[in-house]
Amino acid sequence: TNAKQPQIGIYNYTLTITENHGCSNYDGIKVTVDTTLQANAGGDLTICSGIATTLNATITTGSSIVWSPATGLTSNTISSPTLNFATLNFLNYTITVSAPGCNDATDNLTIQVLQSPQLITSNVSICIGTIPTLNVSGADHYNWQPTGDTTTTLSPSLQVTTSYTVLGTNNNGCTDTNTVQITVHNLPNVSAGNNITASTSLKLTLQGSGASIYLWSPASNLEHDDIATPIITNRITQKYNLIGTDNNGCLNTDSVYIKYIKCDEVFVPEAFSPNQDGNNDELEIKVEDSQCIQTLNFQIYDRWGTMVFATVTPDIKWDGKYQNIELADAVFVYKIDIKNVDNLTITQKGNISLIR
């Protein structure tokens, strides 16, 4: 207690403790009094721009420190601030260390700041089946991961969305890293509809689906070629091709076959001659196309009203017999009911002459 500020020098102090019964022990301490403080700003540094760096100064315990200038430092009153801002070329910092009763101590730190590369990349979106090209610039050397490629471009074949990381290094040894994502979009499920057989009397509309933008060809047969459901204006048998594009810019194709047939007439011969001469021996009905007929009911009667022949199949012909007996020359009456491909019913009646 009541200690005075010592002068500069080396002092040895001894502490002796004696107990009531006369036993004692002692210990000593050597105290060096000096007004010189420790101030070490650390060794000069070479760093890369844009990268946070921690500075490490060594100072006397219990003393305070001030960095000057404070530019770029997270704090200028701690011994290990972080340098977040670094301009190119050289930075010079001075530390001042202070303590009561001591002379201030200073030290200097020079930091050389090298230019870091600034990689230029961009994310890419592709349609599945397309080979993308990733480009990078801004450095002298590159390394793509996970492929290990060292080129300025990368063209991977992908089925799913994938990310790549590229490390760029310049000739100063400074680096920069970017991550590039390739988003892979599935192709649209484009449909041109089902193949259709229809009569020329039927107005048809194509049935496209699965896309946002449509383009049909040939366009000359359609009222519009750029909508999902264009009307066919030229009723001829034709294959129509559809290109469909979705909102991602991906496209797919499909096609549909439209067959037009004339189904509004049924031809029944007025006479036939079942005499086994190889000419006109059987009676058959004829239509433009067998697909015209959905259902058929063809009946033939003699003059007494007896039904001598009937069929619901257009391929079955009458050979002029009834109950396997050849009929004599006569005039017969027929009736035919057909539902055609347009769901229209055609009813036709007339006479048939059997001439042997």
Side-chain angles (χ1 to χ4, degrees), residues 20 23 127 208 217 290 334 339:
N20 291 333
C23 295
C127 305
S217 63
S290 61
Y334 75 87
K339 179 183 285 188

Side-chain angles (χ1 to χ4, degrees), residues 311-342:
T311 182
V312 294
T313 304
D315 295 335
I316 296 179
K317 305 171 184 179
W318 186 37
D319 60 3
K321 296 178 181 180
Y322 175 58
Q323 296 181 348
N324 210 29
I325 298 174
E326 293 185 349
L327 298 178
D329 292 2
V331 176
F332 297 85
V333 176
Y334 75 87
K335 178 184 179 184
I336 186 168
D337 294 304
I338 291 178
K339 179 183 285 188
N340 69 9
V341 70
D342 299 332

Side-chain angles (χ1 to χ4, degrees), residues 265-270 280 282-290 293 295-300 309 311-318 334-338 346 348 352:
E265 293 182 359
V266 180
F267 175 73
V268 180
E270 295 181 352
N280 204 22
E282 295 178 314
L283 176 74
E284 63 177 321
I285 63 173
K286 295 182 179 181
V287 292
E288 182 75 17
D289 191 291
S290 61
I293 299 176
T295 62
L296 165 72
N297 188 9
F298 181 36
Q299 300 170 339
I300 300 176
F309 175 77
T311 182
V312 294
T313 304
D315 295 335
I316 296 179
K317 305 171 184 179
W318 186 37
Y334 75 87
K335 178 184 179 184
I336 186 168
D337 294 304
I338 291 178
I346 300 174
Q348 191 169 309
I352 303 171

Side-chain angles (χ1 to χ4, degrees), residues 141-294:
H141 310 282
Y142 304 95
N143 185 277
W144 294 90
Q145 292 298 328
T147 66
D149 288 88
T150 58
T151 57
T152 58
T153 61
L154 188 67
S155 298
S157 178
L158 300 176
Q159 299 296 313
V160 295
T161 297
T162 305
S163 294
Y164 293 87
T165 299
V166 58
L167 172 68
T169 306
N170 63 15
N171 292 330
N172 292 327
C174 295
T175 62
D176 188 22
T177 302
N178 272 3
T179 298
V180 184
Q181 178 173 287
I182 303 175
T183 301
V184 181
H185 298 289
N186 290 324
L187 301 183
N189 186 21
V190 174
S191 173
N194 298 323
N195 295 335
I196 298 175
T197 298
S199 73
T200 54
S201 63
L202 190 64
K203 182 178 180 180
L204 289 181
T205 299
L206 297 178
Q207 299 295 322
S209 63
S212 301
I213 301 174
Y214 298 87
L215 184 62
W216 294 90
S217 63
S220 57
N221 297 336
L222 304 175
E223 189 172 68
H224 300 283
D225 66 343
D226 58 354
I227 61 174
T229 55
I231 296 173
I232 299 175
T233 55
N234 189 10
R235 299 176 189 179
I236 61 173
T237 296
Q238 180 71 58
K239 177 183 178 182
Y240 292 94
N241 300 306
L242 173 62
I243 300 175
T245 305
D246 64 14
N247 292 329
N248 296 316
C250 298
L251 61 86
N252 210 344
T253 62
D254 194 22
S255 60
V256 63
Y257 187 75
I258 306 298
K259 181 179 180 181
Y260 271 108
I261 52 181
K262 190 175 182 180
C263 293
D264 55 354
E265 293 182 359
V266 180
F267 175 73
V268 180
E270 295 181 352
F272 74 115
S273 56
N275 54 13
Q276 308 304 317
D277 64 355
N279 293 317
N280 204 22
D281 287 330
E282 295 178 314
L283 176 74
E284 63 177 321
I285 63 173
K286 295 182 179 181
V287 292
E288 182 75 17
D289 191 291
S290 61
Q291 296 184 55
C292 283
I293 299 176
Q294 289 196 64

